[in-house]
Amino acid sequence: MPIKSRKFIFTYMETNRIQALFDKYRDNYKLSCKPATENQLQEFQKNCINYVVLTEIMNQLVEYYKLNNNFFGYFECDNILIFEWCDQGCLWLGQTDLWTFRCLLKKQKYAIGDVSEESFGEDYEFNTIEEMLQAFLSGDKV
């Protein structure tokens, strides 16, 4: 069953497309999928509740973490550092080289930026995790 909100829809089909992206670019980025454990997912959900993250965002990230427990080998979902920038309005999902991946809580978007910028601009802000990963992995936004 899809998880719906104003901007987010995460479906089983999207999970399959993310897996296909990882398969396609596995060699370029040393990607692998390691699902989060049930305990890790519960800890992530507890942290989301404690930091007052919208349920829709939490649910989409949970669905992603069921497939892959990190973004480019960075934080696993139960790592509290994901919430380090929560008071500035974003979740720190991960990083690779100089690229930083965030969830912009007020905009309800996923973004590519760097340490000093939450995103490089509107062209680097996406409605879904899949769109963000596609743009990065395909080289469209790097």
Side-chain angles (χ1 to χ4, degrees), residues 36-50 58 61-63 65-66 69 76-80 83:
T37 66
E38 191 58 39
N39 287 341
Q40 289 174 310
L41 292 170
Q42 288 173 3
E43 184 68 19
F44 176 74
Q45 290 169 317
K46 182 183 94 179
N47 289 332
C48 283
I49 291 165
N50 290 342
M58 177 183 71
L61 285 165
V62 164
E63 288 304 310
Y65 288 132
K66 285 180 181 178
N69 194 16
E76 291 192 345
C77 70
D78 59 342
N79 191 322
I80 195 69
F83 299 89

Side-chain angles (χ1 to χ4, degrees), residues 3 8-12 14-23 29-37 40-41 44-45 55-78 82 92-95 101 103 110 128-134 136-137:
I3 298 165
F8 290 132
I9 298 177
F10 201 94
T11 63
Y12 180 74
E14 186 173 17
T15 302
N16 287 341
R17 289 192 308 256
I18 289 173
Q19 180 65 58
L21 273 176
F22 284 3
D23 291 344
Y29 292 95
K30 298 181 179 115
L31 297 169
S32 63
C33 286
K34 175 188 165 201
T37 66
Q40 289 174 310
L41 292 170
F44 176 74
Q45 290 169 317
T55 302
E56 293 87 359
I57 293 171
M58 177 183 71
N59 289 342
Q60 187 171 36
L61 285 165
V62 164
E63 288 304 310
Y64 174 82
Y65 288 132
K66 285 180 181 178
L67 171 68
N68 187 33
N69 194 16
N70 62 66
F71 284 80
F72 303 103
Y74 221 68
F75 304 128
E76 291 192 345
C77 70
D78 59 342
I82 290 171
W92 183 11
L93 302 175
Q95 200 161 318
F101 305 93
C103 177
Y110 294 92
T128 67
I129 294 168
E130 178 191 358
E131 290 172 358
M132 178 182 69
L133 292 172
Q134 173 66 42
F136 179 77
L137 294 171

